[in-house]
Amino acid sequence: MESLERLASSREVSVVARFPEEIPRVTADRDRLRQVLTNLMDNAIRFTEEGQIKISVSSGPPTPDGADTIAISLADSGVGIAADEIEAVFERFQQVDGSITRAHGGSGLGLAICEDLVKLMNGNITVSSEMGLGTSFTVTLPVDGTTEQGVASE
């Protein structure tokens, strides 16, 4: 996290976090969830030269069997992703724009790994974006039925 703070402070990027006072516990692997969120945050910082990154936690949509979920959203005001490239962001070794990603680094594996990890935790990850306005990723995970500060780990 320290390297993310350094990267953010080297740009004109502010990070705004909105969390409810009590957060429902999710049934997830704490380390893997941290890995997913760190990767999403790293991407948001790298592709946002100036502006804002918003992180929020809220109730998510129910699962198909009616279970409650929590939604963790990370939205940036960065370069965005073209509509015709949005479906490919979770493919392995995919970089949506070679000229942008070459300038910002990356192997094209991070989002594919994030998607795999979220699915292993019985969750879902989605993306929405508009060129020049930024990108938003939302991770939705099932809750375990209790409410506390923090994340339950398996």
Side-chain angles (χ1 to χ4, degrees):
M1 287 303 222
E2 207 172 284
S3 63
L4 292 177
E5 290 174 9
R6 265 196 310 272
L7 182 58
S9 67
S10 71
R11 299 166 182 259
E12 293 185 32
V13 176
S14 63
V15 178
V16 176
R18 284 193 211 116
F19 301 96
E21 193 170 308
E22 292 185 343
I23 300 172
R25 293 173 60 99
V26 296
T27 304
D29 180 310
R30 182 185 305 254
D31 293 330
R32 298 296 70 88
L33 181 56
R34 182 177 291 121
Q35 181 180 353
V36 167
L37 297 177
T38 299
N39 183 274
L40 294 176
M41 187 67 176
D42 179 66
N43 284 350
I45 294 169
R46 284 189 296 126
F47 289 95
T48 305
E49 293 293 328
E50 62 181 350
Q52 193 173 69
I53 298 168
K54 296 178 185 175
I55 306 166
S56 63
V57 176
S58 61
S59 295
T63 63
D65 63 358
D68 291 334
T69 65
I70 191 168
I72 305 166
S73 297
L74 196 145
D76 66 55
S77 60
V79 296
I81 302 168
D84 62 336
E85 296 175 328
I86 203 93
E87 288 185 33
V89 298
F90 295 113
E91 293 177 13
R92 293 189 187 298
F93 303 108
Q94 181 64 39
Q95 295 182 325
V96 294
D97 180 350
S99 63
I100 293 173
T101 51
R102 273 194 293 275
H104 294 88
S107 65
L109 284 172
L111 291 174
I113 292 169
C114 286
E115 182 181 47
D116 290 346
L117 291 173
V118 169
K119 285 181 178 179
L120 286 171
M121 294 183 282
N122 297 314
N124 188 38
I125 183 169
T126 58
V127 59
S128 62
S129 186
E130 193 169 334
M131 288 300 297
L133 296 178
T135 302
S136 178
F137 286 90
T138 301
V139 174
T140 306
L141 295 166
V143 300
D144 76 357
T146 61
T147 303
E148 287 188 21
Q149 295 285 352
V151 178
S153 57
E154 293 184 325

